[in-house]
Amino acid sequence: MSSEAQIWPEVLGLLQERIEREVTYNLWFSDLILKKLVDDKAYLQTPSIYKKKILESRFMDQLKEAFTDVMGFEITPYVITVESRPFEDQYFELIEKEAKEQLIAEEIKKGTFVAPDYSMPEPEESEPELMEPQAFTGDFKLSKKNLNFPKAYNPESGELEDISLMSYLEELGNKDGMLLMSQSVPEYRPSYTFRNFVVGDSNRMAYASCLSVAQYPAAQCNPLFLYGPPGIGKTHLLYAIAHHIEKTRPSFNIVYCTSEDFTNELMSAITHKTTADFREKYRTADILMIDDIQFIGGKEATQLEFFNTFNTLYESNKQIIFASDRPPKEITVLEKRIRSRFESGVIIDIKTPDPELRAAIIRRKALDMNVAIPVTALTYMAEHVTENVRQIEGIIKHLSVYSSLKKEPITEELVRSLVGNVVTAPIEVNPDNIIDSVAKFTDVTREEIMGSRHTKNATMARHICSYLLRNMTSMKLQQIGKFMGRHHSTVHDSIRFIEDERKEDKALDEQIRTIIRDLGGKNE
């Protein structure tokens, strides 16, 4: 079990004892999570900016004291909210800032610190403009060096045909293969282009589909629904589409937002009686891209406005693209009519990259950041940094800061040290621990779970145990059945029951997530 999983329940126990009112504890600490414990720093996650501010202003002393009493030495807590940005992005910003401050302090102490030069660089010569795109005929020739590029849809034949990305860019008249960022969309990250997207087996179809959309909007993949775990390139592909269309179809009106942006703008429009302007913005788009679309689940007003916006754009043959961390069928509290519209288009699953693709991504990002990483260290990173691409990017940024400030080459030992601080070792969950944790969070005794009584609570606890034993251990159905004293078909039915209920019952889903966290595991 990880140190976070062992220490956090003890810290929460002390806080619960010391905070007088139970309602106060439940309000501010029930959904607070210890994400990382590194040296003398604890990185906590809370779901909202408001809760973050309250925790920092009212409860920081209690948090420090509780951590100190449990650990035996002083711990500095940091509270991070995931309401607007991913946890990993903010975590790496914090450690980068700390590393910079520490290294600068050392340089000042040695008397060798030189203030950075903030003078404006000389203007560079302007890049050549892209020519208008010519019609794709499917006649591009492939060579061995570009066989890794995917196929693209040809609307004339209605089929996927071989296409080299470099050949396509050359066909546009951009001989050096660069896609330029339009000044009219400064919010799109300039590095998020098709050329900078590393393609492998796990994302090849998503890449091909997005390239097809960029070349032929609303022709084949409409709507396009991308889904997969955080940090694997969904947003990169959305931005790549935007960059490409900005250069090849400058008259197109591109609207990109997150589902949170959509909801907040709608609420503001209702409050200020500007719904006509809101609808003008979204319903006149030629390309509408909504990131993190899963968060519209359960929001009735948002779903109603989204439904009408979708229909208006789709009937006008406009391109619609969504990104989500799960497929439409797993988005809870989603209206059936909206789910059916998601499922009426092309749904693409982007999986976690394999070690070979991670190695290619590391090489690419290190090259972009001008960071020299030894081959052995690069291989080590590819094998151990498995969560997402953002984690890889954060580690390389940290290495870049260290190398530039210390003026020393990056070593394998440094990479191993940094990866060890960031990556949590795999968890081996003991079946007995699963039973005990389920008992703790369902108010059912271990004896009742392993017994034969068929009360509602005991039966549900057994279902949860079967589900967790299957998903958090390597046990087969027959082994789980033998362990719990049930037939393997009963175990199978329990697992299917929980899988279905988690999609519809938010309280059950959160209860299971809490148990998984208690066991030191990671939620999907």
Side-chain angles (χ1 to χ4, degrees), residues 138 180 210 248 292 393 474:
L180 308 180
C210 289
T248 59
D292 292 325
E393 196 170 51
S474 58

Side-chain angles (χ1 to χ4, degrees), residues 122-183:
E122 292 293 324
E124 298 179 358
E125 292 184 5
S126 59
E127 295 280 354
E129 294 185 356
L130 291 173
M131 296 170 59
E132 286 293 321
Q134 300 177 17
F136 171 57
T137 63
D139 295 330
F140 299 135
K141 295 180 180 179
L142 288 172
S143 63
K144 290 183 180 179
K145 66 181 180 180
N146 60 30
L147 282 175
N148 288 331
F149 286 104
K151 296 175 181 293
Y153 286 103
N154 182 350
E156 295 179 4
S157 65
E159 298 178 352
L160 276 171
E161 297 184 356
D162 290 332
I163 178 172
S164 158
L165 179 61
M166 295 303 295
S167 296
Y168 178 73
L169 292 172
E170 289 172 1
E171 190 76 0
L172 294 180
N174 188 11
K175 300 301 182 184
D176 62 357
M178 293 294 290
L179 287 171
L180 308 180
M181 182 182 70
S182 169
Q183 294 302 312

Side-chain angles (χ1 to χ4, degrees), residues 364-377:
R364 176 74 207 199
K365 291 192 174 295
L367 181 65
D368 291 343
M369 298 179 194
N370 197 27
V371 178
I373 302 177
V375 175
T376 53

Side-chain angles (χ1 to χ4, degrees), residues 147-251:
L147 282 175
N148 288 331
F149 286 104
K151 296 175 181 293
Y153 286 103
N154 182 350
E156 295 179 4
S157 65
E159 298 178 352
L160 276 171
E161 297 184 356
D162 290 332
I163 178 172
S164 158
L165 179 61
M166 295 303 295
S167 296
Y168 178 73
L169 292 172
E170 289 172 1
E171 190 76 0
L172 294 180
N174 188 11
K175 300 301 182 184
D176 62 357
M178 293 294 290
L179 287 171
L180 308 180
M181 182 182 70
S182 169
Q183 294 302 312
S184 64
V185 284
E187 68 272 21
Y188 299 150
R189 301 179 187 181
S191 63
Y192 281 13
T193 64
F194 286 116
R195 183 174 183 271
N196 290 340
F197 189 83
V198 183
V199 182
D201 290 340
S202 63
N203 59 22
R204 192 178 303 279
M205 184 53 69
Y207 179 92
S209 301
C210 289
L211 186 58
S212 170
V213 164
Q215 295 169 7
Y216 314 108
Q220 293 281 343
C221 305
N222 196 33
L224 175 62
F225 193 105
L226 306 175
Y227 77 91
I232 58 169
K234 300 187 296 294
T235 301
H236 186 141
L237 288 172
L238 296 187
Y239 282 3
I241 292 171
H243 282 301
H244 190 93
I245 292 176
E246 274 289 320
K247 300 313 298 180
T248 59
R249 292 175 170 82
S251 64

Side-chain angles (χ1 to χ4, degrees), residues 24 30 41 154 199 240 301 304 376 396 401 413 457 487 511 523:
T24 302
S30 62
K41 301 176 183 65
N154 182 350
V199 182
L304 176 60
T376 53
I396 296 175
V401 169
E413 289 72 24
N457 289 345
H487 193 269
Q511 184 181 42
N523 288 293

